[in-house]
Amino acid sequence: MMNYTLNIKGRLLSLERPLVMGILNATPDSFYAGSRMPTEAAVARRAAEIVGQGGAIVDVGACSTRPGSAPASEQEEMERLRMALAAVRREVPGAVVSVDTFRPAVARMAVEEYGADIINDVGGAQPDMLRMVSRLQVPYVLMAAEPTLEQTALFLADRVQRLRDLGHKDIIVDPGFGFGKTLEQNYGLLSQMEQLLALELPLLVGLSRKSMIYNTLGCNPDQALNGTTALNAIALMKGASILRVHDVGEAVECVRLFSMLNA
């Protein structure tokens, strides 16, 4: 595995050993009920839990992207994020904070008002967002919602070049499991995911409790932790540098065991 680093306000965050990103949803309607943290007290508890269990990054979202959901308005997303980011910064002031948003104005607010360290975009890397993150100069998670490995690689390569043309350097790529793909396409992409390492960029993988797990196993999101851990182990073996998860402690254990293979 290549020793990637991310520039977090002048401090280098090493990805030589895979990191765990803990999900913090300041929403009332995320697909996994256990991840919903709609109050300031709940947000603070969740942030402390993520860091306490060994999570390296707290990923704060305020607009659900679950299939079939109606997205919150931009104003509502900003209001939720202001509450959540203030609570996270108070509770775990030294934590690396990522913001999960597809809106450029929300990204700007999070970085300029609350010092968000990373922007995690599931919105298809639209031109306005690419220009915004390049202006903000924070690490950027670039997600693909393409159905096949070939289309995913082409999409990511195109957007990476656009970002580099804008002078942006810190880029993380996400194959987008659960976005724009059938069940079979999700597994097909995972089976070949190591080929995306040809981009020479760190891979973020978000498989946690998703439908590709619970639909395959005939269960529901609440029962999908074991399946999540199994696929996280596969993702690590195929080159993932960051695991984005609901269950931080279990993912950290998965990384520790995987790291023994290369000790």
Side-chain angles (χ1 to χ4, degrees):
M1 182 175 291
M2 294 183 67
N3 184 17
Y4 300 110
T5 58
L6 299 176
N7 186 344
I8 306 294
K9 299 188 181 74
R11 175 170 64 92
L12 293 182
L13 179 65
S14 174
L15 300 176
E16 183 175 11
R17 175 170 170 160
L19 302 181
V20 174
M21 171 187 279
I23 298 167
L24 195 165
N25 286 322
T27 59
D29 57 347
S30 296
F31 80 92
Y32 173 46
S35 74
R36 299 171 190 166
M37 303 292 157
T39 69
E40 192 169 345
V43 166
R45 284 194 302 271
R46 175 61 177 159
E49 178 182 64
I50 289 170
V51 173
Q53 292 182 353
I57 304 167
V58 180
D59 189 48
V60 184
C63 179
S64 177
T65 55
R66 66 181 172 84
S69 66
S73 69
E74 184 172 293
Q75 181 180 353
E76 188 173 16
E77 184 183 6
M78 283 191 181
E79 289 172 358
R80 291 174 181 172
L81 267 179
R82 285 189 169 102
M83 175 276 290
L85 290 172
V88 170
R89 286 305 192 197
R90 280 197 308 272
E91 188 69 25
V92 285
V96 176
V97 176
S98 168
V99 169
D100 179 358
T101 186
F102 56 89
R103 291 173 167 137
V106 175
R108 183 182 64 204
M109 179 277 292
V111 173
E112 292 182 350
E113 294 183 24
Y114 295 93
D117 301 296
I118 298 170
I119 296 300
N120 179 13
D121 174 22
V122 301
Q126 299 301 314
D128 286 351
M129 180 62 96
L130 299 185
R131 286 190 290 270
M132 179 58 71
V133 294
S134 298
R135 183 183 125 193
L136 296 169
Q137 283 298 307
V138 292
Y140 175 62
V141 181
L142 164 63
M143 194 201 81
E146 312 308 304
T148 68
L149 175 74
E150 181 180 11
Q151 290 169 300
T152 297
L154 288 171
F155 174 87
L156 292 173
D158 174 77
R159 296 309 192 274
V160 166
Q161 188 57 56
R162 294 189 195 188
L163 283 162
R164 287 179 172 154
D165 289 345
L166 290 164
H168 200 74
K169 295 178 181 177
D170 276 326
I171 306 166
I172 305 153
V173 294
D174 176 357
F177 292 105
F179 289 85
K181 301 167 184 65
T182 65
L183 184 109
E184 292 76 15
Q185 287 168 340
N186 277 304
Y187 282 100
L189 182 56
L190 180 59
S191 74
Q192 305 174 81
M193 189 182 76
E194 69 277 9
Q195 295 185 40
L196 295 176
L197 296 174
L199 294 166
E200 298 186 347
L201 292 168
L203 284 174
L204 179 148
V205 173
L207 295 157
S208 187
R209 298 183 181 265
K210 286 190 172 176
S211 62
M212 65 182 285
I213 298 169
Y214 61 78
N215 285 340
T216 299
L217 299 178
C219 60
N220 59 49
D222 290 342
Q223 300 164 321
L225 173 56
N226 188 53
T228 296
T229 302
L231 293 193
N232 279 341
I234 292 169
L236 291 170
M237 295 183 76
K238 288 183 171 290
S241 291
I242 302 173
L243 297 178
R244 181 180 182 271
V245 301
H246 299 95
D247 307 279
V248 172
E250 289 81 354
V252 168
E253 289 182 353
C254 195
V255 169
R256 286 179 62 189
L257 294 172
F258 166 75
S259 297
M260 291 301 294
L261 300 178
N262 303 307

